[in-house]
Amino acid sequence: MTSPRADIRHAVSSWRQPCPPALSAERGALVEETARRVLARGAGRLLVGIDGFTAAGKTSFGHELAGRIAAVGRPVLRATLDDFKNPWKDRHLYDRESGEGYYRNAYDYEAVRRLLLDPCRSPAVTSCVLCAIDPLTQEDHSARTSPLAPDAVLIVDGVFAFRPGIDAYWDFRIWLDVAEELSVRRGAERDQDWAGSGAEAIHRDRYLAAERVYLREADPLPRMDLVIDNTEFAHPRVVAERNPPETR
């Protein structure tokens, strides 16, 4: 007897991306195995972080993983760290446009902890916030809560997910690996509509520069449970894993 499919609760953010269509049986099998490994961590609440360079495919992978986990009956919450950035109107108070400044100042980690991660880590708390500030409209959604089941799986994607201050929250850590230049190219193509001809410079001089600071200071890769080469979306492959499953 199979379990009924559980709900997936998404943030109200206008930044929300749709779940991508199935690209290949190969990708489906990798996502399914990842879901199995996450669920093997236990029956209570689980917090999963998905990190990697900009445009590595973090949000899409998070949606796919959520679908697999919900299919076996575990309720899922989906969030992205981009919905917890400091308000853009306050950017004159700090540097957010250089690589160093973006890493230090773009995100509101106090809000991430208070509204999302701490509630999910507290068994007695029954709701959390999936979006603080909409990154596009700048609308404040921090009073809008989502129910938090005792066995919910929270899947959060975003850059710098494993930096000091929030790294200790995760039960399972995933890194989507792509080359620096591929990140810049994909990101520039994605953001042409709002960044225009400056899209490549933003991705190279701000986002990639920030990633280099993060990698140098936080050194997250040794702590990953799973490192996935996501260069080809239809053909992802595991390149490193901690405590790999036994051969069956």
Side-chain angles (χ1 to χ4, degrees):
M1 181 175 176
T2 59
S3 301
R5 183 181 182 88
D7 290 336
I8 302 174
R9 295 190 177 274
H10 290 269
V12 297
S13 172
S14 61
W15 184 248
R16 176 182 164 188
Q17 300 174 36
C19 187
L23 291 177
S24 66
E26 182 181 349
R27 185 175 182 87
L30 187 149
V31 174
E32 184 170 1
E33 175 60 21
T34 302
R36 188 189 71 78
R37 292 189 60 183
V38 169
L39 293 173
R41 294 300 170 95
R45 288 181 189 160
L46 297 172
L47 278 64
V48 180
I50 304 174
D51 201 343
F53 285 176
T54 300
K58 299 180 293 296
T59 300
S60 292
F61 193 87
H63 286 346
E64 292 170 281
L65 183 60
R68 295 285 180 166
I69 290 174
V72 299
R74 288 285 291 272
V76 181
L77 297 154
R78 280 289 288 118
T80 176
L81 292 178
D82 282 337
D83 291 336
F84 292 86
K85 285 183 173 179
N86 286 305
W88 187 246
K89 65 180 175 58
D90 296 333
R91 66 190 183 279
H92 65 285
L93 301 174
Y94 48 78
D95 169 23
R96 183 171 161 177
E97 298 188 6
S98 71
E100 181 94 12
Y102 189 78
Y103 177 61
R104 308 276 180 220
N105 304 315
Y107 291 85
D108 184 351
Y109 294 104
E110 188 279 329
V112 175
R113 292 189 294 268
R114 175 172 51 86
L115 299 174
L116 180 64
L117 300 180
D118 281 336
C120 289
R121 267 284 163 253
S122 304
V125 177
T126 58
S127 66
C128 67
V129 173
L130 298 178
C131 174
I133 303 292
D134 188 307
L136 297 182
T137 68
Q138 293 294 286
E139 185 176 355
D140 187 342
H141 294 291
S142 59
R144 184 163 179 170
T145 61
S146 294
L148 186 55
D151 61 343
V153 179
L154 171 68
I155 301 175
V156 182
D157 64 83
V159 295
F160 321 144
F162 310 121
R163 62 175 290 163
I166 61 172
D167 179 58
Y169 284 90
W170 310 111
D171 296 299
F172 200 92
R173 296 171 176 82
I174 300 169
W175 182 272
L176 295 186
D177 194 43
V178 299
E180 290 185 353
E181 288 303 314
L182 179 58
S183 166
V184 170
R185 186 170 74 248
R186 281 183 183 170
E189 290 172 355
R190 182 193 66 192
D191 294 339
Q192 280 283 333
D193 288 347
W194 68 266
S197 60
E200 181 174 343
I202 290 172
H203 278 270
R204 188 178 304 282
D205 300 334
R206 183 187 304 172
Y207 301 149
L208 179 57
E211 287 285 353
R212 288 171 173 166
V213 176
Y214 171 49
L215 292 176
R216 183 175 67 249
E217 292 191 0
D219 191 23
L221 286 173
R223 300 190 298 281
M224 294 305 104
D225 293 287
L226 208 56
V227 178
I228 298 169
D229 184 335
N230 207 37
T231 301
E232 297 183 58
F233 292 134
H235 305 290
R237 60 188 182 90
V238 174
V239 294
E241 52 190 323
R242 185 167 61 177
N243 300 322
E246 295 181 2
T247 304
R248 291 190 294 251

